[in-house]
Amino acid sequence: MNSTNDFDVLQVPIIDLSLLQRDSQERPLVIKQIHQACRTVGIFAIINHGISETIIEEALNVNKNFFDLPLKTKEELMSHDMYNPVKYGVYQDQDGDQGILRSYLKLYSHPFEKFGPLWPANPPDYREKMGKCAMDMRKLSIQICGAIMESLNLEATYLEEKIERGVQMVAINSYSPISRSNKNLIGTAQHSDFSIITILLQSSSGLQVMETTEKTWKSIPLIKGSFLVLVGDLLEVLSNGEYNAVLHRVIRTSGDETRLSVAGFQSLEMDEILEPAIKLVDEEHPKKYKGCCLRDYLGYRDSGESKPFLETVKITSAIIKE
């Protein structure tokens, strides 16, 4: 099997957030760049985002320290409850000889005053350092969501209050080095995220996205100091299919070092139904999706169904004609 170096690289659009200031003459151009990125590839990188290198490095380091803890300590956080605000787990290599291929920690993070005290108490500085990063990522998500609303010709404040009240969940993944030669392993299987957007920080490369035109997997290069923004299922619903949730996965190759990723998923409140924006539905663009909420998604995941959740809320052409 080919190595990840044999996959084509996708040159993701790079958005300079410092140009999104209200008085910036470049703001309209940046909004157009965001529209093009969301519409064509479903992913873009952001620079000059305002989160300090110190906060980023401390978040990566404190998560590395967490995953380096003895397994017995981490197992205390294991849970099969989809609604548990703190959950640790592992995925094994299906062939068995690589052991644990990926460990993860999923954390509800907003409001931090409610969920922060439930986070791991070890390492002792985990809540402080990871908490700073999570709160900054949430502020960043709200800013980017406003720009994305504008890119859809909606008001920048469209859904703003609901997004501010919404659920933020942070998922940290630790991908172990693999030793087997000449074989790629799936670190995370292909999927899209149930979110409006996902903000992603990664310590090294490995992320791949499905390029929609050629229907091939493309590797995403690591852009130091940047975050990636991924279009999620909820944004596809909201935009009535103008933007498509990006299908992505993680590939691990022999010789790769441990890879850490921190993903912030921005959704609405648990029972807040999201439907396509009325302004984006007309005779030429009929409603393509039913309303859905986070509780619907979690219940579907808990049922063990394998079909992507987004497929269950798509309205077929037959239903549209009726």
Side-chain angles (χ1 to χ4, degrees):
M1 184 177 293
N2 296 334
S3 73
T4 54
N5 292 331
D6 295 322
F7 288 96
D8 290 336
V9 172
L10 178 66
Q11 298 302 324
V12 295
I14 299 176
I15 306 297
D16 185 344
L17 284 196
S18 69
L19 302 179
L20 273 180
Q21 302 303 316
R22 287 289 174 183
D23 58 352
S24 171
Q25 295 182 348
E26 288 86 0
R27 181 180 175 85
L29 176 60
V30 176
I31 296 296
K32 288 182 180 179
Q33 290 174 336
I34 290 174
H35 172 76
Q36 184 69 7
C38 290
R39 187 171 177 272
T40 57
V41 292
I43 185 172
F44 57 91
I46 52 174
I47 59 174
N48 295 325
H49 41 68
I51 300 181
S52 72
E53 291 184 13
T54 299
I55 288 177
I56 291 172
E57 290 301 320
E58 287 182 346
L60 291 173
N61 287 336
V62 80
N63 277 293
K64 178 183 182 302
N65 293 340
F66 169 81
F67 286 109
D68 285 344
L69 291 172
L71 183 59
K72 185 176 181 180
T73 301
K74 294 176 290 189
E75 283 179 335
E76 296 175 2
L77 301 175
M78 279 188 165
S79 171
H80 296 292
D81 183 357
M82 294 295 295
Y83 297 92
N84 198 317
V86 178
K87 185 167 63 173
Y88 169 79
V90 299
Y91 285 101
Q92 302 282 140
D93 173 18
Q94 291 184 351
D95 292 339
D97 60 345
Q98 292 294 328
I100 295 176
L101 186 59
R102 172 168 69 96
S103 303
Y104 66 84
L105 181 64
K106 295 183 178 180
L107 307 169
Y108 280 67
S109 55
H110 177 72
F112 185 72
E113 296 77 12
K114 175 181 179 180
F115 294 116
L118 305 176
W119 287 12
N122 194 9
D125 56 352
Y126 188 87
R127 296 171 183 173
E128 174 194 355
K129 292 182 176 178
M130 187 57 210
K132 288 179 181 178
C133 185
M135 287 188 284
D136 279 356
M137 288 175 71
R138 179 174 175 273
K139 292 177 184 176
L140 193 57
S141 292
I142 293 172
Q143 178 188 5
I144 294 169
C145 282
I148 287 175
M149 296 305 119
E150 281 192 65
S151 76
L152 287 167
N153 291 319
L154 302 170
E155 294 293 330
T157 55
Y158 187 83
L159 289 184
E160 184 176 63
E161 292 184 4
K162 292 181 179 180
I163 291 172
E164 288 183 348
R165 295 196 306 267
V167 172
Q168 184 199 34
M169 195 265 284
V170 178
I172 305 98
N173 290 295
S174 176
Y175 298 88
S176 303
I178 62 174
S179 57
R180 187 189 305 146
S181 61
N182 299 321
K183 182 173 182 179
N184 294 331
L185 292 176
I186 302 294
T188 298
Q190 64 181 49
H191 67 285
S192 59
D193 295 335
F194 190 80
S195 63
I196 300 173
I197 59 172
T198 300
I199 304 276
L200 180 65
L201 169 66
Q202 50 182 354
S203 66
S204 58
S205 59
L207 179 70
Q208 296 186 336
V209 302
M210 174 63 72
E211 201 281 324
T212 54
T213 303
E214 300 176 12
K215 300 297 183 184
T216 57
W217 288 105
K218 298 290 183 71
S219 295
I220 303 300
L222 181 68
I223 304 171
K224 188 170 177 58
S226 71
F227 285 86
L228 294 172
V229 179
L230 285 70
V231 171
D233 293 347
L234 286 173
L235 183 51
E236 180 170 335
V237 171
L238 171 70
S239 70
N240 201 33
E242 174 69 12
Y243 298 161
N244 290 320
V246 63
L247 192 65
H248 56 285
R249 67 181 185 180
V250 174
I251 291 290
R252 302 295 290 151
T253 300
S254 176
D256 282 354
E257 60 186 9
T258 297
R259 177 182 184 270
L260 279 172
S261 68
V262 179
F265 305 96
Q266 186 62 52
S267 301
L268 301 185
E269 290 183 287
M270 188 67 69
D271 296 301
E272 183 73 48
I273 301 293
L274 183 71
E275 295 186 286
I278 294 175
K279 188 176 179 180
L280 303 179
V281 177
D282 55 32
E283 290 186 3
E284 293 184 6
H285 306 89
K287 186 177 179 181
K288 298 179 181 179
Y289 303 86
K290 298 179 288 186
C292 60
C293 65
L294 181 56
R295 194 177 301 278
D296 293 338
Y297 169 74
L298 293 176
Y300 185 79
R301 282 285 307 274
D302 203 31
S303 71
E305 291 285 345
S306 58
K307 183 168 69 171
F309 175 77
L310 193 58
E311 295 297 319
T312 70
V313 298
K314 288 184 177 179
I315 299 175
T316 65
S317 57
I319 294 176
I320 292 173
K321 291 178 182 178
E322 294 176 358

